[in-house]
Amino acid sequence: MMMGEGLIETDDEAAPKADRAALLIIDMMNCFDFEGAEDLLPPALDAARAILSLREKVERLGWPVIYVNDNFGEWHSERSRLVERAMARKNPVAEMLQPRDDDFFIIKPQFSGFYSTNLPVLLPKLGVSRLILSGIAADICVLFTAADAHMREYDLWVPKDVVAAVSEERKNWALGIMEASMGAETAATHDLSPQDWLSRLPQAG
């Protein structure tokens, strides 16, 4: 399922939200051909392994998995072209996390997954009021997406083991901002389960 090119935010944003979470996988369909990629790829691979395990838990709960991926300047791209481009580079991150047929796929033109995309419309349609953010880079696209989600009053979990940056310092800096300023939970997936995270949160009204 692809919802990658809609730009309009509608009254759907005000729809009632259920106690349900979605897993967002941010920018992991990636060629790693940019400056600094050699530093980002190893921690991104570690994050990919943790994401793969987390998505299995999310799927068992019946929660949706949504890929939120940059268009990398290819304005005519759609899901299959972006995935094929990443897979052609034979990088282990894309191979490990290749989207499945029933995953949602949002294409974004900028850092935030909410900016000029269908994500603000899709989430209420799915009855989602909580978001688990994963992917790269923790201090750029994950951080900007978290900020926009926080402004829309989504509960956030950004597990420290499912995000990556070019350095641990930048990753920890971003996690600190998300925790202190956005109320995000940042416990790793081996310390907190999706069910336990959800049980800590107030029920959606």
Side-chain angles (χ1 to χ4, degrees):
M1 303 175 188
M2 184 184 75
M3 296 187 68
E5 298 180 359
L7 306 181
I8 299 173
E9 296 182 6
T10 72
D11 290 340
D12 289 317
E13 287 189 282
K17 295 177 181 177
D19 283 319
R20 192 178 190 220
L23 172 62
L24 270 55
I25 301 176
I26 300 171
D27 287 347
M28 295 297 265
M29 289 299 102
N30 201 307
C31 293
F32 292 93
D33 56 358
F34 49 86
E35 184 177 353
E38 65 278 4
D39 296 319
L40 182 57
L41 184 56
L45 182 55
D46 289 337
R49 296 187 182 100
I51 292 169
L52 193 62
S53 176
L54 176 60
R55 77 162 291 158
E56 293 174 358
K57 299 173 184 176
V58 165
E59 287 177 330
R60 285 199 293 270
L61 292 168
W63 295 349
V65 174
I66 305 172
Y67 282 74
V68 180
N69 221 84
D70 199 274
N71 66 7
F72 300 110
E74 297 183 6
W75 293 93
H76 289 94
S77 283
E78 41 79 36
R79 169 181 174 153
S80 62
R81 288 178 61 179
L82 287 174
V83 173
E84 287 170 6
R85 180 174 176 267
M87 295 293 290
R89 299 301 292 262
K90 300 187 183 304
N91 76 75
V93 171
E95 291 173 358
M96 187 178 302
L97 292 178
Q98 186 174 3
R100 300 171 187 173
D101 290 342
D102 56 352
D103 291 334
F104 295 90
F105 200 99
I106 296 284
I107 298 174
K108 62 184 177 69
Q110 268 292 347
F111 302 131
S112 172
F114 287 87
Y115 180 78
S116 294
T117 75
N118 269 329
L119 190 61
V121 178
L122 174 63
L123 294 176
K125 291 287 189 183
L126 297 176
V128 165
S129 60
R130 323 340 187 138
L131 294 175
I132 307 171
L133 304 188
S134 67
I136 55 175
D139 58 325
I140 307 175
C141 295
V142 176
L143 179 61
F144 278 74
T145 300
D148 276 352
H150 176 64
M151 287 190 293
R152 289 166 171 80
E153 300 184 341
Y154 285 93
D155 296 308
L156 292 172
W157 180 23
V158 189
K160 62 183 66 178
D161 57 329
V162 301
V163 295
V166 295
S167 70
E168 278 295 301
E169 291 78 12
R170 291 178 66 166
K171 171 182 162 180
N172 291 334
W173 170 81
L175 287 169
I177 291 176
M178 288 184 273
E179 184 173 14
S181 300
M182 303 170 198
E185 174 62 69
T186 61
T189 58
H190 52 76
D191 293 324
L192 184 66
S193 71
Q195 299 99 315
D196 288 341
W197 169 61
L198 192 65
S199 70
R200 297 180 180 183
L201 300 172
Q203 292 188 350

